[in-house]
Amino acid sequence: MEKESSESRNKARLAIMELANMISVPMSLNAAVRLGIADAIWNSGANSPLSASEILPNLLLPSGDPENLQRILRMLTSYGVFTEHLNDVAAGSVERKYSLTDVGKTLVTDSNGLSYAAYVLQHHQEAMMRAWPLVHTAVVEPETEPYVKANGEAAYVQYGKCEEMNGLMQKAMSGVSVPFMKAILDGYDGFKSVERLVDVGGSAGDCLRMIVEQFPNVREGINFDLPEVVAKAPKIPGVIHMGGDMFQSVPSGDAIFMKWVLTTWTDQECKQIMKNCYNALPVGGKLIACEPVLPKETDDSHRTRALLESDIFVMTIYRTKGKHRTEEEFKELGLSAGFSSFRPFYIDYFYTILEFQK
């Protein structure tokens, strides 16, 4: 019994050491993205195992430090970003080479210039990083976001002022949205009967472009977002960019689509957005919302952790009382906004399609 207790305490100390040093994980991932390691290993699809010394020239860093690069590669290997290949080169000496796992491949730039790399960079901008030491203030003073305390104004206000921040945010959202949209277009047929589709908070219009291309029945797409956001959106055939405020009104359509919008607002604000959507729809029309949905019970699965980590990001950066919600909480919001029915579709591991019908 004493041995078992000693082992349990040992494991507990190890666990807290891991948690205390966890900052090494996202910052090493950020370093890997900034260095361009994934593209260097991928090398147009080769993905051949390379040592740190072999990677450096591909990064155009021939004088870089291979030992420190290897330390980053080893740590991220333990989190499934890289695969490590060991070769015995001499007595007591091992050569370590690295290739990309499926996780690592999400950081590879595709033919459209997109990947999850921009999403990583966007989360680790200097202004974002200043907010994280202040997470505790979301408990002590929930009236003001930690981001606002650290930077003097809200994140979305800064996006509107800073072209570099706004550009990175749009690229990050595109990098996340495109693979997600491919998944739902393959597994969800709720757009088949829609002729006029409104995308609320559509950013650069990537999601709407993919929907219009896949479903020719959608004759008119309305990409609706803040005026300063749509002003920078590219021209897309069949899509009209429209600036406005979703808290005032939403353009009318047969169906309204939104992705990762409700999670950044309070319950009362979500009700207002959803009521405006309800008013913009005909009887039988649908609000199709794609949102992170929290499980009822907390566990240590990758999915639950990713969702809860993202929830803390929302609390810290965007709104202290904006939040991820459970399926039941979304259902109640929909009913309170006037919708008569609700159906969830679990297609993607992170986002859930929530269908509210008028």
Side-chain angles (χ1 to χ4, degrees), residues 81 108 119 162 235 246 279 283 285 297 304 318 322-323 356:
V81 179
V108 174
Y119 185 75
C162 179
K235 290 185 178 180
M246 63 186 174
N279 292 334
V283 175
E297 296 184 10
T304 296
Y318 293 125
K323 59 185 178 181
F356 304 89

Side-chain angles (χ1 to χ4, degrees), residues 172-342:
M173 290 301 98
S174 295
V176 171
S177 297
V178 170
F180 165 72
M181 287 303 300
K182 287 179 180 176
I184 73 162
L185 290 174
D186 287 341
Y188 174 71
D189 62 2
F191 301 110
K192 279 187 175 178
S193 59
V194 177
E195 292 189 2
R196 180 181 166 94
L197 178 65
V198 179
D199 186 354
V200 174
S203 190
D206 293 288
C207 295
L208 203 49
R209 172 180 55 79
M210 295 177 72
I211 295 170
V212 169
E213 288 176 356
Q214 177 107 350
F215 294 95
N217 53 279
V218 180
R219 297 177 184 176
E220 187 176 16
I222 307 296
N223 182 43
F224 182 69
D225 211 315
L226 295 170
E228 61 267 26
V229 175
V230 296
K232 296 179 175 65
K235 290 185 178 180
I236 301 171
V239 173
I240 298 170
H241 299 298
M242 187 180 297
D245 182 354
M246 63 186 174
F247 288 104
Q248 298 300 318
S249 64
V250 171
S252 62
D254 303 328
I256 295 171
F257 177 76
M258 61 174 63
K259 181 180 66 61
W260 214 53
V261 170
L262 300 177
T263 195
T264 54
W265 302 103
T266 66
D267 287 343
Q268 285 303 315
E269 288 165 336
C270 284
K271 287 178 186 178
Q272 184 60 52
I273 295 167
M274 296 177 80
K275 281 181 180 177
N276 287 343
C277 291
Y278 179 88
N279 292 334
L281 289 167
V283 175
K286 295 180 292 189
L287 166 61
I288 304 164
C290 301
E291 301 287 341
V293 173
L294 294 176
K296 184 177 180 180
E297 296 184 10
T298 306
D299 57 46
D300 61 358
S301 67
H302 283 302
R303 180 178 184 272
T304 296
R305 284 179 172 172
L307 289 165
L308 293 174
E309 288 159 5
S310 178
D311 184 47
I312 298 300
F313 179 83
V314 169
M315 181 184 77
T316 304
I317 305 301
Y318 293 125
R319 294 298 299 277
T320 53
K321 300 301 287 183
K323 59 185 178 181
H324 292 355
R325 296 170 173 86
T326 63
E327 181 183 308
E328 187 61 31
E329 288 171 327
F330 275 116
K331 179 180 178 180
E332 289 303 314
L333 281 175
L335 293 175
S336 70
F339 290 97
S340 60
S341 67
F342 166 80

